[in-house]
Amino acid sequence: MKFDYSLYIVTDRMRMSTKTLGEAVEQAIIGGCTLVQLREKDISSLDFYMLAVEMKKITDRYSIPLIINDRIDIAMAVGAAGVHIGQQDIPADIARKVIGKDMLLGVSAASVAEAIDAMKAGADYLGVGAMFPTGTKPDADFVSMEELGKIRKAVDIPIVVIGGISRENAMLFRPMGIDGLAVVSAVIAQSDIKTSAADLKSLFFGKEVMNEL
């Protein structure tokens, strides 16, 4: 199955501008979001599962794939489209064995070596970053545009960039062969989530392309 990675929303309940996460996610989807990753770090397993069930109902309504961050068990329990793991999580090759060949596997990478290892281990796509300073992961390693270019040449699987992506820098990635933007605050923390999503997508693709979609 082919996935559209162009506007990949990562959730953060502490930064959303709406009263509920469901409302934030739905507005982002209406604005043009093509993938949703549910990321919850400080929450019980039961609460994470219940939230995942709720998000799955919303994403299914709009035929948008739901990705679960880290928690393979919850991803499988709710029938999510896939799971995203970091370098400090369960190894990608083990994750692939657990989830099987049909679920989407995303892996974070900050170097060419990590990107190649992830691809060889069975990753379907890479989340590369942090590209810029970000409040959601203040201790993240930074990836230079030069390194991003090297990663793009080294792997033939889709790449989304993450970390401080905003209206001011989204267009920088248009000529680099990147498949999409993964964002948190640039969409769900904004007062008008729907418009913010649409604007980011327009900046990344170029207004001429958006007019044809």
Side-chain angles (χ1 to χ4, degrees):
M1 180 178 177
K2 188 174 177 60
F3 291 86
D4 180 354
Y5 295 90
S6 55
L7 188 58
Y8 186 128
I9 301 299
V10 182
T11 68
D12 186 335
R13 288 177 303 140
M14 298 300 104
R15 294 176 181 273
M16 65 189 188
S17 62
T18 53
K19 291 182 178 180
T20 68
L21 187 59
E23 184 183 351
V25 167
E26 186 163 24
Q27 286 301 305
I29 291 172
I30 293 171
C33 161
T34 56
L35 271 171
V36 173
Q37 180 190 132
L38 181 62
R39 183 169 72 185
E40 295 295 339
K41 297 296 185 182
D42 302 310
I43 190 172
S44 72
S45 294
L46 177 58
D47 287 344
F48 195 166
Y49 168 75
M50 296 303 292
L51 192 58
V53 169
E54 179 188 348
M55 291 306 105
K56 183 72 162 47
K57 289 178 181 177
I58 295 170
T59 54
D60 280 357
R61 191 182 310 148
Y62 294 93
S63 299
I64 297 296
L66 176 66
I67 308 298
I68 303 295
N69 180 262
D70 294 352
R71 296 292 301 269
I72 292 174
D73 54 341
I74 290 177
M76 296 179 75
V78 302
V83 63
H84 187 94
I85 58 175
Q87 291 295 317
Q88 302 304 314
D89 297 320
I90 185 172
D93 58 338
I94 303 301
R96 173 54 75 196
K97 288 179 181 178
V98 173
I99 66 176
K101 60 181 176 61
D102 295 328
M103 282 181 71
L104 196 65
L105 177 61
V107 179
S108 298
S111 69
V112 171
E114 289 179 354
I116 292 174
D117 286 348
M119 181 178 68
K120 288 181 177 178
D124 292 299
Y125 75 91
L126 300 175
V128 176
M131 299 308 305
F132 306 103
T134 170
T136 58
K137 282 196 174 183
D139 58 344
D141 294 329
F142 289 112
V143 177
S144 67
M145 296 296 275
E146 180 183 9
E147 186 73 6
L148 175 63
K150 291 178 180 178
I151 292 172
R152 177 67 287 175
K153 290 179 180 178
V155 300
D156 59 5
I157 57 177
I159 292 174
V160 296
V161 287
I162 191 168
I165 308 300
S166 67
R167 287 177 53 87
E168 289 70 37
N169 56 45
M171 67 286 297
L172 296 176
F173 301 99
R174 282 169 57 186
M176 299 193 70
I178 302 306
D179 298 273
L181 308 175
V183 298
V184 186
S185 299
V187 172
I188 65 171
Q190 305 306 307
S191 57
D192 188 337
I193 293 175
K194 181 174 69 172
T195 299
S196 296
D199 286 350
L200 259 184
K201 200 167 182 179
S202 177
L203 286 165
F204 178 59
F205 279 112
K207 289 183 170 51
E208 315 80 34
V209 177
M210 287 299 294
N211 289 337
E212 298 174 6
L213 294 180

